[in-house]
Amino acid sequence: MILLGFDDELLLAQQLAAALACPLQLIQRHRFPDGELRLVLPKPLPEQVVILRGLQQPNDKLVELLIAAPTARELGAKRLVLVAPYLAYMRQDMEFTPGEAVSQRHIARLLSQQFDALITIDPHLHRIASLDEVMPAGQGLALSAARLLGRWVAQQVPGALLIGPDEESAQWVSEAAAAARLDHAIGRKVRHGDADVKLALPEGEVRGRAVVLLDDMASTGRTLIGAAEQLLARGAASVDVAVTHALFNGDALPALRAAGVRHVWSSNTVPHPSNAVDITPLLLPAIAELLARP
Ligand code: R5P
């Protein structure tokens, strides 16, 4: 077996290869002046190949995978597993306006056609309960970093109140709170635009409490910023943030700081300076189980 990775996710690739006790090789990339990609994979490949590719900033990476997967098979791979710690397009899970593509379905199907199995962490499963609803049953394995994040928070801020900003965060926040024996509460959110969200946070007492906002991802950061501003206005002693996927696009990070957020922590699904929680221990048994399947 071999792990194939990319240079911009080298650290996680190295950690994963060490934990799996397997060789790691990088897929070399060149971008031609016209924007096309040239990929070079190691040749030959063993029968079992795991490709690590997070799908933050997804569009170029999807094309990479559409080229890399069939090439890996041509070079000898018989069983091909994609580890995509962050799986993009999962929030586009319904036809919000007439004619709008339900991209979640199509991207999941596309990947399932290229790979024998896919492992991901905290995909945004909101209107569907499982990846089985968008790809052949059993082909997609969704793990959660919620417990790891909960335990990390409990170590950093003993007695913290965990708050999930919106209904869909309830699944992660309740799991994190149970694992770390912390209080938790869930708010409600209405999104009016990419960076325009209105939040209604739970009425419970936050005055004097150390609050940690927990969510699956931060993109523009506006969800967390809106929540942090309300909590600090209501007298929270401190507001920290913990997310699985540190997308933090545009000015998200400085804007969070400006809103009064103290610490920002994330798992290392997406390489980012806020990475504090290692997901390798989650991935390890899942990869072993998938590779052991007949
Ligand atoms: C969606 O509900 C997700 O769980 C996140 O709350 C959301 O994607 C965060 O986006 P942003 O950082 O742009 O507010």
Side-chain angles (χ1 to χ4, degrees):
M1 172 197 153
I2 193 172
L3 177 68
L4 298 181
F6 291 83
D7 57 359
D8 54 355
E9 288 173 301
L10 188 57
L11 191 59
L12 182 58
Q14 286 170 331
Q15 286 172 215
L16 196 54
L20 288 164
C22 77
L24 164 68
Q25 292 220 34
L26 296 184
I27 295 178
Q28 308 295 336
R29 283 176 300 168
H30 172 73
R31 182 182 290 278
F32 291 107
D34 60 4
E36 287 183 6
L37 286 168
R38 169 177 173 263
L39 301 182
V40 181
L41 281 70
K43 179 180 180 176
L45 285 171
E47 291 197 353
Q48 310 229 58
V49 174
V50 177
I51 298 185
L52 173 71
R53 197 50 167 152
L55 289 172
Q56 55 280 6
Q57 301 296 328
N59 295 345
D60 278 359
K61 293 176 184 169
L62 285 167
V63 175
E64 285 170 10
L65 292 176
L66 289 181
I67 299 170
T71 306
R73 294 198 196 273
E74 287 169 1
L75 297 176
K78 296 264 181 300
R79 188 157 182 78
L80 196 53
V81 173
L82 172 65
V83 176
Y86 173 68
L87 184 57
Y89 283 101
M90 293 297 106
R91 286 173 295 174
Q92 295 188 42
D93 58 358
M94 69 173 271
E95 188 183 359
F96 293 96
T97 56
E100 183 175 342
V102 185
S103 305
Q104 179 188 63
R105 237 184 253 155
H106 306 305
I107 297 296
R109 191 178 310 127
L110 189 76
L111 292 172
S112 72
Q113 287 161 352
Q114 298 295 333
F115 292 89
D116 299 303
L118 175 154
I119 301 175
T120 189
I121 300 191
D122 291 330
H124 191 82
L125 301 183
H126 177 204
R127 292 177 184 85
I128 62 168
S130 143
L131 288 174
D132 287 355
E133 293 179 46
V134 287
M135 55 176 63
Q139 209 177 331
L141 191 53
L143 309 170
S144 178
R147 288 163 188 238
L148 297 177
L149 285 173
R151 292 192 194 113
W152 170 265
V153 167
Q155 282 166 12
Q156 306 304 311
V157 191
L161 169 62
L162 285 184
I163 292 190
D166 50 26
E167 289 95 331
E168 53 262 50
S169 68
Q171 54 187 304
W172 306 290
V173 177
S174 57
E175 202 177 320
R181 297 170 190 271
L182 294 173
D183 297 339
H184 76 284
I186 306 295
R188 277 182 293 114
K189 176 172 81 182
V190 180
R191 185 177 284 280
H192 299 285
D194 288 343
D196 182 8
V197 295
K198 295 278 169 297
L199 286 150
L201 294 181
E203 283 306 320
E205 193 49 72
V206 297
R207 183 163 297 282
R209 297 284 310 258
V211 176
V212 179
L213 289 163
L214 193 87
D215 208 353
D216 59 336
M217 72 181 77
S219 172
T220 66
R222 264 49 198 182
T223 300
L224 296 170
I225 289 166
E229 285 172 347
Q230 281 190 31
L231 291 163
L232 289 168
R234 283 204 226 153
S238 58
V239 176
D240 301 312
V241 158
V243 292
T244 303
H245 307 297
L247 302 182
F248 292 119
N249 295 307
D251 69 347
L253 217 47
L256 269 169
R257 301 270 183 232
V261 168
R262 187 177 57 168
H263 298 296
V264 178
W265 299 300
S266 63
S267 85
N268 57 349
T269 55
V270 177
H272 190 265
S274 63
N275 290 169
V277 172
D278 181 22
I279 44 124
T280 310
L282 279 181
L283 293 174
L284 208 52
I287 294 172
E289 191 240 296
L290 280 183
L291 289 176
R293 283 185 192 171

